[in-house]
Amino acid sequence: MATKTLSEHLEDEGRRTPALTVDLATLLRQMGECGRRLTLVVRRAALSGSLGLQAGGEINATGDTQKKLDVLADEAVLERIGSTGLVGAVVSEELKEPRALPGREARYVLCTDPLDGSSNTDIDAPMGTIFGIHRKAAAGPIDPARDLIRKGSEQVAAGYILYGPSTMMVYTAGAGAHGFTLDEERGAFVLTHETMKCPERGTIYSANLGNLNRWSPGVRRYVDHVTAPDPATRRPYSLRYIGALVGDVHRSLINGGIYFYPADAAHPDGKLRLMYECAPMAMIVEQAGGRASTGTGRILDIEARTIHQRTPLAIGSAAEVALYESFLK
Ligand code: AHM
Ligand code: MG
């Protein structure tokens, strides 16, 4: 039976991996605490009157109507991360501008989608929290151009928390991706998926096919290909779509397969946001041996221009993402 807690694992890893500093371990532990808190918030949402839209129908930084749970999740992340004094600024899907946090020792920047897949709030379906962590180039006040507008490859850690039948936290600090399941009886995340390996191939594709007619001819030809029967290559692939990136990527990590959200007429740069959705998920999947691409280039190599910029995304099994790319050439 699995027994090692997230805290114990971080201590052990910290001794083995110099990049996993004490401060970084503190931030990862606090994100775990945040996941514990949000597990309760999400589970009790119908009972506590937290389903539905935020009063006033506010529109968040990227044009989505905020749900009550989006706001509660954002507050939980800011509170937990703020309490460490280690983070100088938080970039969040729910905040138009980066939120500066006090802390003389603040050497990190946290990018987060506090509640990803929040269209699932009211139907009791999976959702997640995504985060990526950058180290500031220098101590002192945040310099947006230098500290916030970064490449995904510069992240020092990334993770997600999946609120499903159980709550799981998966993180990487550049030495593999490790998964923990929340043991609610112990009140701790326990290591259940050490050194996760994304299968090289998979037979599931995951995308919002409602957008099919808006996709480029290359993406449509790819869909024709994976749905054409060919037993030798295990086609047709099956379609699965949770509608929460965290859930769809988690399945791809475990079972193999691909998730994609391409550009289309309504989303010329794709829908998903680079800094707090695509880059963290890309770091985790690459650390597990998978691949994350715009369709034509590596997600982690994109130079961000703005904190809320979007990018097309294809992510999952290395060979499946390479196949997708071959149709976009
Ligand atoms: P959100 O951060 O506002 O929840 O949007 C991101 C979500 C992803 O989790 C999911 O894969 C995608 O948007 C679903 O979009 P669509 O409803 O267009 O299929
Ligand atoms: Mg999201």
Side-chain angles (χ1 to χ4, degrees), residues 12-327:
D12 289 353
E13 282 291 299
R15 280 191 284 272
R16 268 198 293 270
T17 316
L20 184 55
T21 59
V22 171
D23 287 350
L24 204 47
T26 300
L27 290 177
L28 291 166
R29 252 197 321 274
Q30 282 305 318
M31 285 312 297
E33 286 306 300
C34 190
R36 270 195 338 125
R37 167 90 196 112
L38 287 177
T39 298
L40 284 179
V41 171
V42 165
R43 295 251 159 93
R44 292 193 50 81
L47 303 170
S48 63
S50 311
L51 296 180
L53 296 176
Q54 175 72 357
E58 291 181 28
I59 307 290
N60 74 10
T62 54
D64 298 332
T65 308
Q66 275 183 324
K67 297 280 188 69
K68 288 180 190 167
L69 284 175
D70 283 320
V71 176
L72 292 171
D74 196 48
E75 287 168 358
V77 174
L78 286 170
E79 187 190 313
R80 286 286 173 194
I81 285 303
S83 74
T84 65
L86 295 170
V87 169
V90 172
V91 169
S92 164
E93 179 175 337
E94 304 306 327
L95 300 169
K96 283 195 177 56
E97 300 295 336
R99 173 73 53 88
L101 298 176
R104 275 187 301 140
E105 297 305 313
R107 292 300 300 260
Y108 295 91
V109 170
L110 184 103
C111 301
T112 183
D113 179 354
L115 196 66
D116 176 63
S118 55
S119 67
N120 282 352
T121 54
D122 301 355
I123 59 164
D124 208 13
M127 288 171 277
T129 298
I130 307 174
F131 62 94
I133 301 174
H134 287 271
R135 192 167 155 82
K136 281 173 66 208
I142 291 285
D143 171 346
R146 187 192 60 200
D147 296 325
L148 302 181
I149 308 296
R150 308 281 288 266
K151 267 194 204 176
S153 58
E154 292 169 352
Q155 293 171 116
V156 291
Y160 64 76
I161 299 155
L162 170 63
Y163 311 103
S166 60
T167 296
M168 280 201 67
M169 173 165 163
V170 175
Y171 91 93
T172 180
H178 308 290
F180 301 79
T181 303
L182 181 59
D183 181 338
E184 289 175 58
E185 285 174 16
R186 285 176 74 184
F189 279 97
V190 175
L191 181 62
T192 47
H193 297 62
E194 194 167 9
T195 316
M196 295 172 83
K197 290 280 172 238
C198 182
E200 172 73 12
R201 303 215 73 108
T203 55
I204 290 175
Y205 74 111
S206 184
N208 183 344
L209 280 200
N211 294 327
L212 182 74
N213 286 320
R214 296 180 182 148
W215 289 341
S216 68
V219 178
R220 298 213 305 259
R221 275 197 305 276
Y222 168 78
V223 173
D224 285 345
H225 175 79
V226 296
T227 51
D230 176 36
T233 52
R234 297 164 73 204
R235 289 180 283 141
Y237 288 2
S238 293
L239 172 67
R240 298 280 185 280
Y241 193 61
I242 295 170
L245 178 67
V246 170
D248 284 312
V249 170
H250 186 69
R251 181 194 54 248
S252 308
L253 260 185
I254 303 240
N255 287 344
I258 184 172
Y259 166 98
F260 56 95
Y261 210 113
D264 64 46
H267 312 97
D269 297 315
K271 175 186 176 186
L272 301 175
R273 278 60 47 125
L274 175 63
M275 290 194 64
Y276 42 79
E277 291 178 322
C278 300
M281 298 308 270
M283 181 178 182
I284 295 163
V285 167
E286 282 199 4
Q287 283 289 320
R291 186 162 172 149
S293 168
T294 60
T296 53
R298 184 178 177 233
I299 290 287
L300 293 180
D301 287 340
I302 302 174
E303 298 264 8
R305 286 168 282 106
T306 62
I307 58 172
H308 294 298
Q309 87 182 58
R310 300 171 192 265
T311 176
L313 175 70
I315 188 166
S317 293
E320 302 306 329
V321 175
L323 176 67
Y324 177 92
E325 288 172 324
S326 72
F327 283 83

